[in-house]
Amino acid sequence: TGSLNWDGRSSDGTELPSGLYYYQATVRYAVLDRGAPAQVFKGYVQILREGVSMR
């Protein structure tokens, strides 16, 4: 299994605000088995930043 390694920044390096972020990744293990079907991983990450008030 892989791991999610994300620092909570957008692709341009800006820190994203508190919120729920969904992801989907399609992975092919072509090095292990060229005929293996792709696996799709889905999930979510919640960012909680200090000093943010929710109203």
Side-chain angles (χ1 to χ4, degrees):
T1 46
S3 63
L4 177 64
N5 185 10
W6 179 52
D7 64 1
R9 295 178 184 270
S10 67
S11 57
D12 70 359
T14 305
E15 279 193 354
L16 293 169
S18 294
L20 204 55
Y21 294 86
Y22 293 88
Y23 65 87
Q24 177 175 324
T26 302
V27 180
R28 294 188 186 276
Y29 298 100
V31 173
L32 301 176
D33 178 3
R34 289 195 179 275
Q39 286 188 308
V40 178
F41 297 92
K42 297 179 183 181
Y44 65 89
V45 175
Q46 185 172 17
I47 295 178
L48 300 173
R49 303 244 185 241
E50 289 186 31
V52 177
S53 63
M54 301 291 281
R55 295 181 189 190

